[in-house]
Amino acid sequence: MNKPPSILFVGHSHVVCIAAAVRKTGVTDVGVINLLEIPGKAKLTTQKLAEQIMHMSPIRRPDALCLCMNGNDHNAYGVTENPIPFSLGDREKGCIPEIGEERQFIPYRVMRDIFEKPRMRRLVKHVFDAFPQAARYWLCPPPPICDWAYITSNPIVFSDMIQFGPAPESLKKQLYRIQCDVLRDMALEGRATFIEPDSRLVEDGFLRPQYCADPTHGNSLYGEVMLSAVRERAGAFA
């Protein structure tokens, strides 16, 4: 039997579910680096930060590198309604908003520019370059959660926004699609395979309740499914 490929995951808070899945399943060929746990990262150049990631890696020469970065931006605008309610244009529908004319209108291109992060694009390039022998993957973040009762019972950092009530479901899905458009382009630019959650995890565009850890993240069960998806894909091309 062929040895499974070793995989290094690098990302922000959405890699926590992968780390939980690694602990739960006991696999030894997977490493996880959470960028939020690197002290002083904001003061480092993207080149220096990539070098630090390389030195921190528990796997010296991973067969595959999987990034999962900036996945929570869509939730920052869509977990709850905003103080100034807004609607979005849609790439497929031009400038026609899906929801009420009384809402502040933001064109698709403008919202996409808000999600764009030049520093992140530079970091992605440097991290991929730090592991030149590794096959490249990008793990899409989980979709939004629509259960308002669940969100209000687990408000975490959005507690001061609960007073504005739930954001429209169509807006949540639009924000997620725009976020994914940006991340998919980053993956394409880095010649990485973009891996999205499938129908086991998603229902009508939202994360199924059994895979929620809190109002914005997947739990260890979600991590197990996505870890398996990446391992299968990496194994097929090893």
Side-chain angles (χ1 to χ4, degrees):
M1 181 180 295
N2 293 333
K3 181 178 178 294
S6 58
I7 305 172
L8 175 65
F9 287 83
V10 177
H12 293 101
S13 59
H14 288 297
V15 298
V16 171
C17 67
I18 300 295
V22 169
R23 291 192 298 270
K24 187 175 179 180
T25 58
V27 296
T28 58
D29 51 9
V30 176
V32 180
I33 295 178
N34 186 342
L35 295 174
L36 299 179
E37 296 176 351
I38 299 178
K41 60 185 180 300
K43 297 180 180 180
L44 299 175
T45 66
T46 53
Q47 178 70 61
K48 290 295 185 183
L49 182 53
E51 291 173 3
Q52 186 161 340
I53 290 168
M54 183 174 60
H55 293 314
M56 290 174 58
S57 175
I59 305 172
R60 292 294 90 188
R61 294 175 59 86
D63 298 310
L65 174 64
C66 186
L67 303 188
C68 187
M69 296 183 176
N70 268 29
N72 232 1
D73 287 354
H74 70 98
N75 282 313
Y77 297 97
V79 167
T80 71
E81 183 64 281
N82 283 262
I84 301 176
F86 66 91
S87 62
L88 292 173
D90 194 280
R91 186 173 59 180
E92 288 75 26
K93 299 179 181 180
C95 293
I96 302 174
E98 290 188 11
I99 50 182
E101 295 180 358
E102 71 282 0
R103 305 173 71 90
Q104 178 69 47
F105 175 65
I106 300 176
Y108 167 89
R109 191 71 243 182
V110 172
M111 197 71 223
R112 183 186 166 106
D113 286 346
I114 291 171
F115 286 156
E116 288 278 3
K117 302 230 176 3
R119 175 178 165 84
M120 187 54 56
R121 282 189 180 270
R122 293 193 299 272
L123 177 60
V124 166
K125 180 184 184 306
H126 290 316
V127 173
F128 276 140
D129 288 347
F131 300 92
Q133 79 288 348
R136 299 178 176 188
Y137 299 91
W138 192 298
L139 194 61
C140 182
I145 295 166
C146 69
D147 186 337
W148 183 243
Y150 181 82
I151 291 172
T152 54
S153 64
N154 298 273
I156 56 170
V157 297
F158 299 97
S159 57
D160 59 335
M161 298 288 287
I162 295 298
Q163 60 179 307
F164 299 112
E169 291 186 4
S170 61
L171 180 65
K172 287 175 178 281
K173 289 192 279 190
Q174 279 184 292
L175 287 164
Y176 181 65
R177 286 198 302 270
I178 296 173
Q179 169 95 75
C180 290
D181 286 346
V182 172
L183 299 179
R184 192 180 294 104
D185 282 354
M186 284 191 189
L188 181 63
E189 188 176 282
R191 305 186 306 282
T193 300
F194 194 68
I195 301 177
E196 301 182 61
D198 61 27
S199 59
R200 290 173 294 174
L201 305 170
V202 182
E203 183 176 8
D204 190 29
F206 294 101
L207 185 62
R208 293 180 185 271
Q210 63 267 37
Y211 296 108
C212 299
D214 58 41
T216 67
H217 296 92
N219 59 18
S220 62
L221 289 176
Y222 180 90
E224 286 185 64
V225 175
M226 297 309 291
L227 173 60
S228 178
V230 176
R231 296 186 83 199
E232 288 175 9
R233 190 71 64 91
F237 293 97

